[in-house]
Amino acid sequence: MATGRTHRPATRSRGIPEATVARLPLYLRALTALSERSVPTVSSEELAAAAGVNSAKLRKDFSYLGSYGTRGVGYDVEYLVYQISRELGLTQDWPVVIVGIGNLGAALANYGGFASRGFRVAALIDADPSMAGKPVAGLPVKHTDELEAIIEDNGVSIGVIATPAGAAQQVCDRLVAAGVTSILNFAPTVLTVPDGVDVRKVDLSIELQILAFHEQRKAGEEAMAAPASPAPAVRGGTGGGKGPDGDVPAVMPA
Amino acid sequence: MATGRTHRPATRSRGIPEATVARLPLYLRALTALSERSVPTVSSEELAAAAGVNSAKLRKDFSYLGSYGTRGVGYDVEYLVYQISRELGLTQDWPVVIVGIGNLGAALANYGGFASRGFRVAALIDADPSMAGKPVAGLPVKHTDELEAIIEDNGVSIGVIATPAGAAQQVCDRLVAAGVTSILNFAPTVLTVPDGVDVRKVDLSIELQILAFHEQRKAGEEAMAAPASPAPAVRGGTGGGKGPDGDVPAVMPA
DNA sequence: CCATCTTTGTGCACACGTTCACAAAGACAT
DNA sequence: ATGTCTTTGTGAACGTGTGCACAAAGATGG
């Protein structure tokens, strides 16, 4: 545990901004679709529309990779697919392990998007002994005991955690100890990892909550002119009720 | 193409920055855990650690909600739980529909995090007639034909799309036409929606690709002594003989 | 070979987000 | 009451991301 570095330096990687990196897969997908339709070239305007972004942003993003376009024409689709793939590291094979083969883990194992882009599911791992050997998505589920061996034997550096929240940190620790340096976490927990290990979090309920916020705001604005009481059913829960604004709970900060 | 606005007006919600809204669920989760352990108050430092963020950021975030803390003491846990819940709109009941009951849809239906936070699965919908009536997570799967009726009858304003990419836009259009104004999209497609409809995207393979980028960088830095050019620096976990590495399309933009 | 037209690549200005650092506010002991 | 100690709330500096607008680069046609 080095004391020098702060926790998550967000690694402004090497001239390529993080925000750009996050969009490259988006461009890649749009380009792959064009490639399959044998479209030879595409303009920044068209590609941006397909990827759902602003064209100026797209051009700036690409400018970080180099000058791969041709003025007056656009971008060569095949060439760009290769360049982005290479930049993202998808020209090599990335073995991944998925830990926690519940509903979500099984869904991930079956998800075609993984295998199709340089990722290979090296193993499915679960703590439940009764799962061991059971085939999921064509692979036999391995027991947690084998975790370290699997990671070392396959040179796995990316791990996916789809366990319940309670087990996530423990699994994470073992993954890291065994050599994994990138983790995709689906468990609703904050993972603590040593420096040099990347963690990305996907949290289903957080996304819904963000939507609820905007939804509430929309409903509120809409009902501004209408009577004070909004239409949706009110869930008082503990009986606190949801009265008008001033009607806050009994508990005040002492 | 009713692309609508290309940029999000969401930022100006109500003085609360989008980045802050995205963190509120994180704080809420940490606070709920504290509440269950009957911790009465918490300092910004402690809570920030639990949520995995910087304490100054947390305080600034809370300052957008109001002055809910007590100097020299910290924040009252219960009070803050309520305030954040209310701000996020979780004090009311949000019926949601999940469309596409494959592996992922089933996982979502079973995911406890939904029900536990003001969200109620109103219905599971699938296009496959043979799924109809089959119970998933205790609910009978409905056929797509009933989509509009379900949404109207239940006052659903939030929809979750877990269909294959090809069906997503069509489902989206039907959801929107039926009255849904917020969509959580798990299909790897860019959805086009009219103004006033919010879409959030969760893309599993994109997250992995971002990890691969950083992983490649780490591997490259480690094994590189004299970086002269953006040389491929191929170094994978496997033996590497992954084929089309050297014989890449040397296609140049014509 | 020149004129025109299209589209890239980017300088610049602005908006948004993060972090620091510190004064103000309150708790608590004496 | 008064002083000390803790912790919030926030002004200000800084860094990152976004979008406009335009010059430069190249294609295309006469």
Side-chain angles (χ1 to χ4, degrees):
Chain A
M1 240 155 289
T3 51
R5 278 283 190 185
T6 46
H7 29 230
R8 203 134 312 146
T11 335
R12 53 188 167 307
S13 304
R14 211 24 176 161
I16 302 187
E18 190 60 26
T20 295
V21 173
R23 280 188 294 267
L24 288 182
L26 217 57
Y27 303 144
L28 184 55
R29 178 173 294 153
L31 284 164
T32 304
L34 290 173
S35 172
E36 276 163 10
R37 287 168 38 208
S38 300
V39 177
T41 62
V42 66
S43 72
S44 64
E45 204 75 45
E46 294 167 325
L47 185 54
V53 304
N54 179 301
S55 71
K57 196 188 296 187
L58 178 143
R59 288 199 298 278
K60 181 149 289 193
D61 283 342
F62 285 177
S63 79
Y64 292 116
L65 308 184
S67 286
Y68 294 148
T70 305
R71 294 171 192 232
V73 176
Y75 299 92
D76 182 279
V77 172
E78 294 299 327
Y79 186 67
L80 205 45
V81 163
Y82 171 72
Q83 288 298 342
I84 294 179
S85 293
R86 191 173 58 82
E87 197 67 51
L88 284 172
L90 304 182
T91 52
Q92 55 184 283
D93 184 59
W94 293 108
V96 301
V97 293
I98 300 175
V99 187
I101 312 303
N103 278 292
L104 181 58
L108 295 173
N110 279 294
Y111 183 52
F114 284 11
S116 71
R117 290 232 187 290
F119 299 99
R120 180 171 51 81
V121 178
L124 307 177
I125 301 176
D126 200 284
D128 183 356
S130 71
M131 289 283 295
K134 241 175 89 176
V136 171
L139 283 174
V141 174
K142 302 285 188 178
H143 189 261
T144 318
D145 291 344
E146 303 180 58
L147 188 146
E148 285 79 8
I150 290 169
I151 288 175
E152 281 170 44
D153 292 351
N154 293 275
V156 174
S157 56
I158 300 178
V160 178
I161 296 180
T163 66
Q169 182 64 59
Q170 199 175 353
V171 166
C172 174
D173 291 343
R174 285 182 67 181
L175 287 173
V176 170
V180 165
T181 47
S182 288
I183 291 176
L184 183 52
N185 179 33
F186 285 88
T189 318
V190 176
L191 291 182
T192 302
V193 295
D195 258 14
V197 177
D198 275 310
V199 176
R200 290 192 71 85
K201 182 165 56 78
V202 175
D203 196 313
L204 313 179
S205 79
I206 282 185
E207 297 299 324
L208 265 194
Q209 290 176 50
I210 296 171
L211 278 182
F213 172 84
H214 292 298
E215 196 59 36
Q216 183 186 43
R217 194 172 51 78
K218 276 185 280 191
E221 275 174 10
E222 205 168 277
M224 271 311 184
S229 185
V234 174
R235 169 198 153 250
T238 51
K242 178 204 167 265
D245 283 336
D247 195 40
V248 267
V251 192
M252 279 293 289
Chain B
M1 213 183 296
T3 313
R5 299 212 165 262
T6 45
H7 59 274
R8 273 174 304 193
T11 331
R12 302 257 147 83
S13 342
R14 177 62 158 65
I16 302 186
E18 188 61 26
T20 294
V21 173
R23 279 188 295 268
L24 290 182
L26 217 57
Y27 302 144
L28 183 56
R29 178 174 292 154
L31 284 165
T32 304
L34 291 172
S35 172
E36 276 163 10
R37 285 169 37 210
S38 299
V39 177
T41 61
V42 65
S43 71
S44 65
E45 204 75 46
E46 294 167 325
L47 185 54
V53 303
N54 180 301
S55 71
K57 195 188 295 187
L58 178 142
R59 286 198 300 276
K60 179 145 289 197
D61 283 343
F62 285 178
S63 79
Y64 292 115
L65 307 185
S67 285
Y68 293 148
T70 305
R71 296 172 192 231
V73 175
Y75 300 91
D76 182 280
V77 172
E78 295 299 326
Y79 185 67
L80 205 45
V81 164
Y82 171 73
Q83 289 299 342
I84 294 179
S85 293
R86 192 173 55 85
E87 197 67 51
L88 285 172
L90 305 182
T91 51
Q92 56 184 280
D93 184 58
W94 293 106
V96 301
V97 293
I98 301 176
V99 187
I101 313 302
N103 278 292
L104 182 57
L108 295 173
N110 280 292
Y111 183 53
F114 283 11
S116 71
R117 290 234 187 287
F119 299 99
R120 180 173 51 83
V121 179
L124 307 176
I125 302 175
D126 200 283
D128 183 356
S130 71
M131 291 281 295
K134 243 174 89 178
V136 171
L139 283 175
V141 174
K142 303 284 186 177
H143 188 262
T144 317
D145 291 343
E146 304 180 58
L147 188 144
E148 284 80 7
I150 290 170
I151 289 175
E152 280 170 46
D153 291 352
N154 292 274
V156 173
S157 56
I158 300 179
V160 178
I161 297 180
T163 66
Q169 182 63 59
Q170 200 175 352
V171 166
C172 173
D173 291 343
R174 287 183 64 181
L175 287 174
V176 170
V180 165
T181 47
S182 287
I183 291 176
L184 183 53
N185 179 33
F186 285 88
T189 319
V190 176
L191 290 182
T192 300
V193 295
D195 257 17
V197 176
D198 274 312
V199 176
R200 290 194 70 85
K201 182 165 56 75
V202 174
D203 196 313
L204 313 178
S205 80
I206 282 185
E207 297 299 324
L208 264 195
Q209 290 176 50
I210 295 172
L211 278 181
F213 173 85
H214 291 298
E215 195 60 35
Q216 183 187 41
R217 182 156 307 285
K218 277 185 276 191
E221 273 173 10
E222 203 171 279
M224 212 185 293
S229 69
V234 177
R235 176 249 162 218
T238 59
K242 200 239 164 191
D245 229 333
D247 48 291
V248 274
V251 189
M252 280 296 289

